[in-house]
Amino acid sequence: MSAILEGSIVAAFGRHYEIELPDLTLITGFPRGKKSPYACGDRVVLERSSPDQAQIIRHLPRSSLLYRSDAFRQKLIVANTTQLVLVVATEPSFSDELLTRALVAAETESLRSLIVLNKIDLDEHLPVARHRLAPLANLGYPVIELSARHGAQHLLPHLAGELSVLVGQSGMGKSTLINALVPDAAAATREISESLDSGKHTTTHARLYRLGDPGGALIDSPGLQEFGLAHLSRGAIEQGFVEFRSHLADCRFRDCSHRSEPGCAIKAAVAAGGIDERRYEIFLRLGSGAF
Ligand SMILES: Nc1nc2c(ncn2[C@@H]2O[C@H](COP(=O)(O)OP(=O)(O)OP(=O)(O)O)[C@@H](O)[C@H]2O)c(=O)[nH]1
Ligand SMILES: [Mg+2]
Ligand SMILES: [Zn+2]
């Protein structure tokens, strides 16, 4: 006997998924066919095949989809999130290019974005980290400085009512934050102690954790080394740089690539100090097709 159900993917393992049903019980879902086109956060329609297993038939419409891609394939990160929480740390050092790429992806999906600067208890490199985040703070992206070990609760007011995803490079402290904010996040604790032994990527799959008071949920995701944006058009990338938006209409040529054209309003804004040079540099790299 089979039954059609609806549920939410709360953990994505690639070939199978942990799915929460409306009564909060969990069931293991398998995609039909070879592809696994689902992500943590997806709401899906299922057909139960046994008491604890089901086939995933399709996903329901998504309010957002965060993913990255190179020329050959795309990797889904999460679906239906409302907020991107980018986690960086005072150490190890972080890539501002990866950060900018993730922010562009979030802008194109109209997600709210904020940046957590973690491990401020390790303060030797704090000034450098702040300096590197300054251009993003100046654009209005909130930067929350904290130590996941001692002050994770500073993030809580920003999470209320949102479905947030923690994204960042390995070792920045995403799972430590989850652990500090979600009292029963046992898996994350275990993964952290494993990381102390192995010293490399610890989280291997995305998992959703519900926050009690003040509501909302938080998705932990595996550390990223790259954030390819091959799926984005040049126009989408331009719009993803929020400070470009007000200048784009002023370029002399409508198809201006903002490289060497005369009358380029973006270059003029860079020269005048209105657009950060480093952001412009990263933009040029994204637009060149080198992902
Ligand atoms: N000193 C200090 N160490 C921290 C802090 N937050 C995390 N760490 C340590 O940083 C290391 C990496 O933390 P994780 O939470 O596993 O990092 P992650 O971002 O989840 O890494 P991946 O799962 O590989 O992506 C662990 O040894 C943590 O104990 C902090 O606020 N201060
Ligand atoms: Mg982790
Ligand atoms: Zn231009």
Side-chain angles (χ1 to χ4, degrees):
M1 216 177 66
S2 65
I4 300 294
L5 311 162
E6 268 183 33
S8 301
I9 296 184
V10 293
F13 298 96
R15 295 296 305 153
H16 70 281
Y17 301 85
E18 198 173 300
I19 298 165
E20 191 181 76
L21 300 177
D23 65 2
L24 299 185
T25 58
L26 298 172
I27 191 166
T28 304
F30 297 90
R32 300 196 289 192
K34 280 193 183 150
K35 290 194 175 156
S36 302
Y38 308 108
C40 191
D42 256 331
R43 300 189 13 84
V44 291
V45 178
L46 306 161
E47 185 169 3
R48 196 192 282 271
S49 50
S50 76
D52 54 3
Q53 293 195 354
Q55 272 207 334
I56 306 174
I57 299 168
R58 62 186 167 87
H59 63 79
L60 295 176
R62 292 161 167 155
S63 62
S64 70
L65 181 64
L66 195 63
Y67 64 104
R68 58 202 182 93
S69 61
D70 60 22
F72 307 104
R73 53 189 196 135
Q74 60 187 42
K75 284 206 164 178
L76 305 185
I77 301 173
V78 280
N80 296 321
T81 48
T82 59
Q83 177 164 266
L84 172 67
V85 178
L86 281 163
V87 184
V88 298
T90 53
E91 54 188 84
S93 73
F94 59 87
S95 157
D96 59 347
E97 177 162 347
L98 187 123
L99 212 54
T100 291
R101 285 168 174 268
L103 287 171
V104 167
E107 289 294 343
T108 63
E109 289 292 303
S110 302
L111 300 184
R112 200 189 304 266
S113 296
L114 59 91
I115 298 165
V116 169
L117 173 54
N118 185 27
K119 308 196 196 181
I120 58 168
D121 53 305
L122 305 174
D123 58 4
E124 190 189 341
H125 304 291
L126 181 56
V128 180
R130 276 188 184 141
H131 179 72
R132 297 182 64 207
L133 294 176
L136 299 174
N138 290 340
L139 291 174
Y141 292 112
V143 176
I144 295 132
E145 296 186 358
L146 54 76
S147 162
R149 288 202 179 157
H150 312 294
Q153 72 278 5
H154 293 302
L155 186 56
L156 274 181
H158 301 270
L159 303 178
E162 306 279 348
L163 175 52
S164 306
V165 58
L166 302 186
V167 168
Q169 288 159 272
S170 205
M172 296 294 151
K174 299 178 292 297
S175 301
T176 307
L177 267 173
I178 294 269
N179 226 24
L181 296 173
V182 184
D184 56 353
T189 314
R190 198 169 56 243
E191 285 163 11
I192 286 164
S193 55
E194 278 167 14
S195 86
L196 292 175
D197 297 330
S198 67
K200 41 182 196 189
H201 289 239
T202 48
T203 304
T204 53
H205 57 271
R207 178 177 286 278
L208 182 148
Y209 299 89
R210 298 209 186 276
L211 296 163
D213 199 21
L218 205 47
I219 296 178
D220 192 10
S221 74
L224 299 176
Q225 280 179 302
E226 285 176 82
F227 206 115
L229 297 175
H231 55 287
L232 294 183
S233 67
R234 199 171 79 192
I237 290 174
E238 284 173 357
Q239 293 293 327
F241 283 76
V242 288
E243 73 275 42
F244 286 20
R245 290 176 184 170
S246 64
H247 300 287
L248 288 167
D250 298 331
C251 291
R252 187 177 306 162
F253 301 108
R254 213 160 25 125
D255 62 349
C256 184
S257 69
H258 321 301
R259 288 170 189 277
S260 49
E261 291 88 342
C264 173
I266 299 292
K267 281 201 304 173
V270 174
I275 290 178
D276 178 67
E277 257 181 69
R278 174 75 183 135
R279 292 263 296 172
Y280 175 64
E281 240 174 62
I282 295 173
F283 166 78
L284 291 182
R285 274 217 284 286
L286 297 192
S288 71
F291 293 98

